[in-house]
Each structure stands twice: as C-alpha cells, then as structure tokens.
C-alpha cells in the first residue's frame, strides 16, 4: 500500500475502510449445516408504506416502481405509484406468504418499520410463520440524507417499532441501497445486532472491526434480485429471473464441493408478488429443494452459525 493509500484509509470513518483483498486466494473451507453446498437466503424487502411520499412530508415521491415515467407535476401525489406499492401490501405479500408456507422455506424480512406499522396483519404474521425480522430502517429512505444524530434516532425508533409490531427484536440491519459513513458504527455502539448486510462485496460472511469491536457482515447482492423487473435493462419475463438465479446457485453448488458459500435473493411483494413472477419464484424454490445441496436459511441463522463455528477467522477490512 502506498503512503497516500495509507493516509486516505486512515482518514475514513471506522467501519468504512475499503478492502480490495477480502479473503483473497485463501477462501475458508467452511461447512454449512447438513453438509449443504450453498446457503440460500431469501430476503423479502418489505417497504410498502415507508417509501418516499409527499404525504409523509417528503420533497418528492418514490421513483422506483413498476414502470419508468416522469409525473407531470412532481409536487403532487403520485396515485399510480402509491397504488403499485399498495399491491405489494394488499395482495402480493399474502401470495408469497402462502408460497413460503407451502414450501416450508424460512425468509428474512428486510422490514421498514413504518411499513409494518401500516399493516399490522403482516407484522403479526412474520414471526409465527418462522421468518426473521431484520430492520430495513424506520422508513425506506437513504441514510446518507440524515445527520448522525437523526440516523441514530431512526435506528432506535426502528428497533422499538419492529419489536412492538412483530414481537421480535431485530438482530440484523440492512439500509436502503447503502449505509451512511456512520451507520455501522451506530449499530455497534447501540448494540443488540448480530450482523448487518450493508455490503455487496463477498460470497461469505466476514468479520470486520468497528469502534474497537469485532462485527459480522453478512453480504447482500443486487445481482439476484427481482428489482430487475423494475429497471431497464432488466428481466424481460419471469423466466429470466429463474435462469439468472439458478445459474448462480448451480455454479456455487459446484464450488461448494470444496468451498461452500452463500447467495442472497432479493424479493419485493409489489414485484415478485405478481402471479406470473410468483410462479417463477415457486419454480426456483422447487428446483433448489430438488438438488439436496441447498440450505435455505434466515440471515440470523447464518450469522449465528458463523459466530459459533467461525469466530476464529481473521478480521477483514476495518481497523487493522
């Protein structure tokens, strides 16, 4: 590392130092429960009712929807976008809950606290069905728009809200797209979190150092994500989603003969909750179960397994 690189790294906030090496060539030969070759984490991003909206005092409405268009007047309510999100909370989520129940797969809910406050039936159904509640913030907004004091307040309020509405205190955290430079340190200082998923940089969990404490990161991904139904270029039809994810899992199963890894699949009730797309998810789950090589796991279970069996792995990134 050059002197300039050392200076730049030293000036970064704790927990945000860049790490281009990771495990490098020495990937740990870990084992998952039951000898599974790949751990599959289904992540239900539950955001409906917590998105950007002038009804909630925001300066703009949500821009991520089912179609790409620019409203004629951005200062007014966007009834089309509101309705798209309502589909997820009214219909899509229950179709997916029935699918998860039929296939007996556990799911991690990246839940925005305000979204569950506005749909108590969904909030009450998550934990009894065997799923995990992971905090996705107080609202589905970018942490970088908040001051450190505001963000710390949002973290506390989100945790309190989710514990009240679901009956379970979240032990994980995932921000909208990207954390701020303060997020990871705030989580560690607040305590009570087994992990965060505010990273996209590995196929395995890893330990980092934050505020003089070791902290676990369970990386997420945008690659295997139904969000590509809403972006261009993206999935042209539901089969593209199945093919993309199946190819990824198939390759990881091959690698898992010697070095098992994990894969995250991002889901949204307003997107994959549509019937045609839900059929693709059902096909994917059935295929995974047919391989005999997949461990469907909640992220808190992956974090607990890693903490119990791999706490001796070296710290990556962060304070060295």
């Amino acid at each position: 590392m050059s002197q300039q690189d050392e200076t730049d790294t030293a000036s970064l906030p704790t927990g945000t130092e860049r790490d281009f090496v990771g495990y490098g060539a020495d990937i740990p030969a870990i084992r998952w429960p039951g000898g599974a070759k790949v751990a599959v984490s289904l992540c239900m991003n539950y955001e409906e009712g917590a998105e950007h909206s002038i009804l909630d005092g925001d300066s703009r409405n949500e821009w991520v929807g089912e179609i790409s268009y620019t409203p004629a007047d951005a200062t007014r309510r966007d009834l089309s976008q509101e309705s798209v999100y309502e589909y997820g909370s009214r219909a899509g989520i229950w179709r997916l809950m029935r699918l998860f129940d039929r296939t007996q797969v556990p799911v991690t809910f990246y839940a925005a606290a305000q979204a569950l406050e506005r749909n108590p039936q969904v909030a009450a159904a998550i934990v009894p069905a065997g799923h995990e509640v992971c905090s996705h913030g107080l609202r589905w907004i970018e942490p970088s728009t908040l001051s450190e004091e505001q963000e710390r307040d949002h973290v506390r309020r989100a945790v309190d809200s989710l514990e009240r509405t679901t009956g379970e205190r979240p032990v994980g955290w995932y921000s909208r797209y990207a954390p701020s430079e303060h997020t990871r340190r705030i989580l560690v200082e607040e305590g009570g979190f087994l992990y965060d998923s505010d990273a996209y940089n590995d196929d395995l969990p890893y330990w980092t150092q934050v505020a003089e404490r070791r902290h676990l990161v369970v990386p997420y991904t945008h690659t295997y994500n139904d969000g590509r139904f809403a972006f261009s270029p993206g999935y042209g039809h539901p089969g593209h989603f199945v093919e993309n994810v199946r190819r990824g899992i198939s390759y990881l199963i091959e690698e898992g003969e010697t070095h098992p890894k994990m894969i995250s699949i991002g889901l949204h009730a307003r997107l994959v909750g549509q019937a045609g797309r839900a059929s693709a998810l059902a096909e994917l789950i059935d295929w995974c179960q047919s391989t005999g090589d997949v461990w469907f796991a909640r992220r808190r279970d992956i974090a607990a397994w890693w903490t119990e069996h791999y706490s001796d792995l070296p710290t990556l990134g962060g304070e060295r």
Side-chain angles (χ1 to χ4, degrees):
M1 180 182 290
S2 70
Q3 183 176 358
Q4 180 64 42
D5 288 339
E6 290 177 352
T7 301
D8 291 344
T9 298
S11 66
L12 295 175
T14 179
T16 69
E17 298 85 349
R18 300 202 67 183
D19 179 6
F20 294 97
V21 178
Y23 290 114
D26 299 319
I27 303 172
I30 62 105
R31 287 183 57 83
W32 294 125
K37 295 182 176 64
V38 58
V40 174
S41 170
L42 296 180
C43 302
M44 172 57 60
N45 294 258
Y46 191 80
E47 302 147 349
E48 290 79 2
E51 72 276 10
H52 288 289
S53 171
I54 62 172
L55 285 176
D56 287 317
D58 299 325
S59 60
R60 61 182 174 88
N61 292 305
E62 184 54 52
W63 62 276
V64 179
E66 182 69 33
I67 60 174
S68 298
Y69 76 103
T70 302
D73 186 350
T75 66
R76 296 177 179 271
R77 289 176 61 189
D78 186 341
L79 297 182
S80 171
Q81 192 76 298
E82 290 176 18
S83 192
V84 166
Y85 276 72
E86 289 166 9
Y87 182 87
S89 63
R90 291 162 57 120
I93 188 61
W94 297 113
R95 175 174 291 119
L96 296 173
M97 290 291 278
R98 291 190 294 270
L99 171 61
F100 300 146
D101 181 64
R102 176 178 68 79
T103 56
Q104 289 296 287
V105 293
V107 175
T108 292
F109 273 70
Y110 286 158
Q114 182 173 283
L116 288 186
E117 288 176 355
R118 290 176 168 174
N119 197 333
Q121 289 187 25
V122 172
I126 296 172
V127 175
H131 306 308
E132 173 194 3
V133 178
C134 171
S135 182
H136 198 19
L138 183 64
R139 294 186 57 210
W140 193 46
I141 59 175
E142 299 81 350
S144 59
T145 64
L146 304 173
S147 69
E148 181 175 350
E149 293 74 20
Q150 289 173 324
E151 186 175 3
R152 189 180 297 275
D153 177 63
H154 275 219
V155 168
R156 292 172 177 170
R157 290 166 61 193
V159 169
D160 290 344
S161 173
L162 290 169
E163 185 170 14
R164 183 176 64 254
T165 58
T166 70
E168 177 177 276
R169 193 241 191 247
V171 297
W173 186 276
Y174 174 58
S175 303
R176 175 171 179 164
Y177 301 141
S180 76
E181 292 185 335
H182 310 294
T183 305
R184 186 163 287 160
R185 176 173 54 79
I186 290 172
L187 297 178
V188 170
E189 290 174 349
E190 289 298 308
F193 293 97
L194 287 178
Y195 71 93
D196 77 62
S197 289
D198 282 335
Y200 309 90
N201 53 7
D202 216 299
D203 295 315
L204 285 172
Y206 60 88
W207 297 101
T208 188
Q209 194 82 7
V210 183
E212 300 182 350
R213 303 179 210 173
R214 263 165 68 92
H215 175 70
L216 185 64
V217 178
V218 181
Y220 188 46
T221 183
H222 293 310
T223 305
Y224 308 104
N225 197 301
D226 70 351
R228 291 178 177 268
F229 284 119
F231 294 100
S232 180
Y235 298 133
H237 61 79
H240 288 164
F241 169 73
V242 178
E243 181 67 9
N244 181 37
V245 182
R246 184 159 50 196
R247 281 178 174 270
I249 294 174
S250 293
Y251 204 91
L252 290 177
I253 287 174
E254 291 181 20
E255 292 186 341
E257 292 288 346
T258 57
H259 291 79
K261 299 183 180 70
M262 68 169 289
I263 188 172
S264 302
I265 303 173
L267 308 171
H268 301 76
R270 62 188 178 274
L271 297 175
V272 79
Q274 294 282 349
R277 297 166 182 166
S279 71
L281 178 59
E283 178 183 338
L284 178 66
I285 291 172
D286 290 343
W287 173 80
C288 286
Q289 292 177 327
S290 74
T291 68
D293 294 319
V294 166
W295 175 40
F296 277 108
R298 303 175 304 177
R299 298 177 91 75
R300 68 180 299 154
D301 297 326
I302 292 173
W305 179 266
W306 204 263
T307 300
E308 180 180 356
H309 297 277
Y310 301 107
S311 60
D312 59 338
L313 287 177
T315 299
L316 307 181
E319 301 165 357
R320 299 296 183 97

